[in-house]
Amino acid sequence: MKKLLIGAAAGIGLALVIYKLAESGKLDGLCDDFDKVSGQAKKKIKDGIDVGKNQLEYLKERAASKSEQLSELADEVEKKVLDKLNKAKS
């Protein structure tokens, strides 16, 4: 119970100090700084998302290219195997 009362008194004291600082206008600059920092953070997050999207598009194109190359290779192998089978039958 004693810790609860000490914590409540400390909380009330801190709230009073913050209220007095806000009333005197000393926290106005702090709010502006928070706005600036949050704006920069939003921009960095958005840039990171854009970079991620670009990399995903690149990987998608590479996968499609490799898939196409494998398909062509499979067609060539199939053709060679069929040619050898036809020669063996002849």
Side-chain angles (χ1 to χ4, degrees):
M1 183 72 177
K2 187 177 182 180
K3 291 181 182 180
L4 179 66
L5 292 175
I6 292 172
I12 291 171
L14 184 61
L16 183 62
V17 168
I18 291 173
Y19 174 74
K20 291 291 183 180
L21 287 173
E23 192 176 72
S24 65
K26 293 185 180 179
L27 295 179
D28 293 341
L30 185 64
C31 292
D32 294 338
D33 291 342
F34 280 137
D35 288 341
K36 183 179 176 183
V37 169
S38 67
Q40 290 173 348
K42 286 179 187 177
K43 185 177 185 296
K44 286 183 180 181
I45 289 170
K46 190 174 182 181
D47 289 346
I49 290 171
D50 289 342
V51 167
K53 284 181 181 179
N54 289 340
Q55 287 183 354
L56 284 175
E57 287 176 14
Y58 170 74
L59 291 174
K60 180 181 170 185
E61 290 173 6
R62 289 269 317 221
S65 173
K66 293 294 181 183
S67 174
E68 195 173 308
Q69 288 175 356
L70 286 174
S71 177
E72 290 172 2
L73 182 61
D75 290 342
E76 288 176 23
V77 169
E78 182 182 10
K79 183 179 177 186
K80 287 181 181 179
V81 168
L82 288 176
D83 286 344
K84 285 187 179 185
L85 285 175
N86 287 335
K87 285 182 184 178
K89 287 182 182 179
S90 304

